[in-house]
Amino acid sequence: MRSNRFQNKVATSNFTLPVAAFLTTLLWCAEGIYTLDRLLGWGVCGLTAYFWVETNNAHSLIRIRSRLTPSIYLWMTGCIFCLHPLQDGLIVSCLVLASYYLLFKSYQQTEAVSPIFHSFLCLGIGSLFFPQLLFFAPFYLWYTAVYLRSLTWRTFWAAMTGLILPYWFMAGYFLYTEDFGRFTGHFRELILFQPIYYENYRNFDFLQISTIGLVIAFTIIAALHGIRTSFNDKIRTRMFLYLILTQELLIVLLMALQPVHFQVLLGLLVMNSAPILSHYFALTSKRFTDAVFILFLFMFAALSFLNIWTQWLTF
């Protein structure tokens, strides 16, 4: 593989992550990092990027030494200004990534009670902020059975215990405060399915459409290449990437069916797209992929300038 192209230099450079962190901080400052909600959002974004560093170190999602996954996550999040304030989308993304890290540790382990319990615990805590996250729980069980080969009766009950545990404490708190209606109301949100009407999608503005279009378009290019060349990866890495790709499809499907949850699902989509894009840019070396990488940087930079310009016009 040739490694003298711009994308390869960026993928293997030790300065990529610090530069990405610096640019992301500048973008946050351009909108107003001095407010508490944006400062906390910046901190959660940095924590998620750190989790991607640890996940790559522990599970080798890319065959070469690269910090491109957290860098791409920081760059996309920095350019998407609606993700800057502290919100459920950022918190849920961080918790879902933590669940990935723990779930990957169960790969082909017959006694994977601890990692699966803690993975589903993170998923359960995330569902306190976004109840629809519980819809992913059956797929997590399917991942452990098909991709990770770690599902047994013991790990099944460990998963159920981890998923239910946050609600056990939540129910106890609301019983103590004599406000149990809020607990049942949390689950009522799961059956509130917004009817699929054209009007539901007309509420999206140009920035939202541009953002989701860019993320999905570049992810599709990367995903198709990853599927076509998956034989180059180890079986273990291949299963991890298939899991992430399946999650990506589910997130897009839920976003298409329930656009009312766009804000939270966008945060999840950006977090989930980062390893797919980094795998593509780090392990390819052609003129086309180099052009796609430059276009990726340019388009998200243009998106950030559009966000800044829109905000200046509102002053």
Side-chain angles (χ1 to χ4, degrees):
M1 176 188 297
R2 295 179 60 187
S3 59
N4 59 341
R5 297 194 184 279
F6 175 68
Q7 68 177 93
N8 304 119
K9 293 179 180 179
V10 172
T12 57
S13 174
N14 293 327
F15 296 101
T16 298
L17 184 55
V19 169
F22 175 72
L23 292 176
T24 301
T25 303
L26 286 182
L27 290 169
W28 236 277
C29 291
E31 192 194 15
I33 196 175
Y34 42 82
T35 59
L36 181 60
D37 60 336
R38 287 169 173 79
L39 184 61
L40 292 174
W42 176 77
V44 174
C45 176
L47 181 61
T48 305
Y50 170 74
F51 281 165
W52 267 129
V53 172
E54 292 299 319
T55 302
N56 277 328
N57 289 342
H59 303 296
S60 302
L61 297 180
I62 303 178
R63 297 191 300 272
I64 63 174
R65 185 179 180 277
S66 175
R67 290 285 185 261
L68 202 56
T69 302
S71 301
I72 285 180
Y73 171 75
L74 288 173
W75 174 244
M76 288 194 295
T77 307
C79 293
I80 302 173
F81 281 25
C82 65
L83 294 179
H84 286 190
L86 182 65
Q87 57 188 272
D88 292 344
L90 287 177
I91 298 172
V92 169
S93 298
C94 189
L95 289 166
V96 169
L97 178 53
S99 75
Y100 286 175
Y101 173 82
L102 294 161
L103 199 65
F104 291 166
K105 293 180 70 173
S106 72
Y107 178 73
Q108 288 191 350
Q109 291 188 21
T110 56
E111 298 295 332
V113 171
S114 178
I116 289 182
F117 167 80
H118 288 98
S119 175
F120 276 78
L121 178 62
C122 291
L123 191 68
I125 296 173
S127 68
L128 297 180
F129 297 93
F130 181 54
Q132 286 74 15
L133 205 62
L134 290 174
F135 291 142
F136 293 97
F139 293 97
Y140 267 54
L141 291 174
W142 185 72
Y143 300 152
T144 59
V146 177
Y147 293 149
L148 307 177
R149 305 286 182 177
S150 58
L151 184 64
T152 63
W153 278 112
R154 291 189 65 193
T155 55
F156 172 80
W157 290 114
M160 293 299 98
T161 304
L163 190 65
I164 295 171
L165 188 60
Y167 289 95
W168 179 267
F169 287 102
M170 183 182 179
Y173 171 77
F174 285 126
L175 280 174
Y176 175 76
T177 58
E178 299 181 354
D179 191 17
F180 202 70
R182 291 180 60 187
F183 180 76
T184 56
H186 182 82
F187 290 98
R188 279 198 295 269
E189 292 190 32
L190 294 174
I191 60 175
L192 293 178
F193 196 86
Q194 185 184 43
I196 303 176
Y197 295 130
Y198 174 70
E199 287 74 15
N200 297 334
Y201 305 92
R202 294 182 62 183
N203 295 327
F204 290 116
D205 57 31
F206 177 75
L207 274 176
Q208 291 174 318
I209 295 173
S210 301
T211 300
I212 193 65
L214 284 177
V215 175
I216 291 178
F218 283 107
T219 303
I220 287 175
I221 295 173
L224 291 175
H225 178 271
I227 294 171
R228 190 173 66 251
T229 62
S230 61
F231 60 88
N232 291 321
D233 292 307
K234 295 180 180 179
I235 296 178
R236 174 190 177 95
T237 304
R238 197 183 311 165
M239 294 300 103
F240 294 164
L241 291 174
Y242 285 166
L243 186 157
I244 293 172
L245 285 170
T246 305
Q247 280 284 101
E248 187 83 353
L249 182 62
L250 294 174
I251 294 168
V252 172
L253 181 62
L254 184 57
M255 184 181 290
L257 295 176
Q258 294 292 275
V260 67
H261 302 304
F262 170 84
Q263 192 74 10
V264 179
L265 292 173
L266 178 62
L268 271 175
L269 187 69
V270 170
M271 182 278 295
N272 213 74
S273 296
I276 303 172
L277 290 167
S278 62
H279 186 274
Y280 173 63
F281 291 133
L283 300 178
T284 55
S285 182
K286 297 180 180 178
R287 288 184 179 179
F288 174 76
T289 58
D290 197 48
V292 171
F293 181 65
I294 295 173
L295 182 64
F296 167 79
L297 297 177
F298 174 79
M299 293 301 292
F300 274 90
L303 181 65
S304 68
F305 284 120
L306 185 60
N307 276 281
I308 295 173
W309 179 257
T310 302
Q311 289 201 355
W312 283 352
L313 288 179
T314 60
F315 289 155

